[in-house]
Amino acid sequence: GAVVSQHPSRVICKSGTSVKIECRSLDFQATTMFWYRQFPKKSLMLMATSNEGSKATYEQGVEKDKFLINHASLTLSTLTVTSAHPEDSSFYICSARVESYGYTFGSGTRLTVV
Amino acid sequence: GENVEQHPSTLSVQEGDSAVIKCTYSDSASNYFPWYKQELGKGPQLIIDIRSNVGEKKDQRIAVTLNKTAKHFSLHITETQPEDSAVYFCAASPQGGNQFYFGTGTSLTVIP
């Protein structure tokens, strides 16, 4: 089946630093990927839609300068949390749409900012 | 926009019993309804989905029903097992759209 590989699974960083999260589609091409944020015991909140070769589309209330998204190829999208603060600590998940299959999710990244 | 509501938020059942989770949606343009299972610390995994041209779909112990008129759909798990314990999310996707909208999740606990 279609697999999206997400790395790292866990990351701890200091306040003020930046963290990059990668999502790769392993056996299919993903022209569009989606980035979600999930708080403990809460549902997934769509942050942005990543489009290969063009700018990402951000949901209302999501700071595009803080959450930088790059989708430079058909198999890789990255989310960079810039100047991270403790309130950015969360579970971040990517997903991609797969033709004739639906949507598949990465395994998530637990970000802790200390 | 679309609004998906999910109930109950928590559900405990005895092993072997059935579990039912219900969702409602607001946008009549939605035509794709997947269900995801999320285990602790992992990303959601698609377990079953249904499209608006179908009223029911079954895959072994899991079934999903859809009532387009009432705008609700349900997940049914029969003969539950402890490994079914997880958080389940429903979602709805508008026709032709790429994104979809999640319900608030149901934490299912199957008691051995």
Side-chain angles (χ1 to χ4, degrees):
Chain A
V3 176
V4 171
S5 176
Q6 183 172 347
H7 295 281
S9 58
R10 292 177 177 270
V11 57
I12 301 173
C13 70
K14 293 183 178 180
S15 289
T17 62
S18 296
V19 174
K20 181 185 284 188
I21 302 170
E22 293 188 349
C23 269
R24 294 179 184 274
S25 56
L26 296 186
D27 47 6
F28 67 100
Q29 293 182 333
T31 55
T32 303
M33 286 193 178
F34 306 91
W35 287 95
Y36 293 85
R37 183 173 181 177
Q38 186 177 33
F39 293 101
K41 298 185 179 181
K42 297 291 184 182
S43 189
L44 287 78
M45 180 189 75
L46 180 65
M47 298 175 63
T49 301
S50 165
N51 303 295
E52 186 269 334
S54 64
K55 292 182 179 180
T57 304
Y58 290 82
E59 295 300 300
Q60 190 173 8
V62 178
E63 299 177 59
K64 61 181 180 180
D65 294 331
K66 180 164 189 63
F67 299 101
L68 299 179
I69 290 174
N70 185 282
H71 196 153
S73 77
L74 287 170
T75 59
L76 175 63
S77 176
T78 61
L79 168 68
T80 301
V81 183
T82 63
S83 186
H85 289 95
E87 56 264 33
D88 298 325
S89 298
S90 192
F91 194 55
Y92 293 86
I93 310 171
C94 63
S95 78
R97 180 179 182 181
V98 186
E99 290 298 326
S100 304
Y101 180 80
Y103 296 82
T104 187
F105 285 81
S107 52
T109 297
R110 171 72 60 194
L111 171 63
T112 303
V113 184
V114 297
Chain B
E2 176 65 276
N3 180 44
V4 179
E5 295 188 355
Q6 182 171 346
H7 300 280
S9 57
T10 59
L11 178 61
S12 292
V13 299
Q14 292 288 334
E15 182 177 359
D17 288 350
S18 296
V20 180
I21 303 170
K22 298 182 179 181
C23 286
T24 61
Y25 62 99
S26 61
D27 190 348
S28 57
S30 290
N31 70 337
Y32 175 63
F33 308 93
W35 285 89
Y36 289 88
K37 176 182 180 182
Q38 186 177 27
E39 298 177 340
L40 190 64
K42 297 183 179 180
Q45 296 293 314
L46 178 69
I47 56 172
I48 196 168
D49 57 10
I50 192 168
R51 298 188 181 274
S52 59
N53 58 344
V54 176
E56 182 175 359
K57 184 176 179 180
K58 190 174 181 180
D59 183 5
Q60 298 183 347
R61 297 187 295 109
I62 297 173
V64 58
T65 59
L66 171 65
N67 184 326
K68 280 204 67 179
T69 303
K71 295 193 185 70
H72 66 69
F73 55 113
S74 301
L75 176 71
H76 304 253
I77 306 174
T78 59
E79 301 173 29
T80 54
Q81 301 167 2
E83 50 265 39
D84 294 330
S85 297
V87 178
Y88 291 80
F89 291 98
C90 63
S93 179
Q95 186 171 7
N98 269 326
Q99 64 173 258
F100 49 102
Y101 303 85
F102 284 90
T104 48
T106 297
S107 178
L108 172 65
T109 302
V110 179
I111 304 166

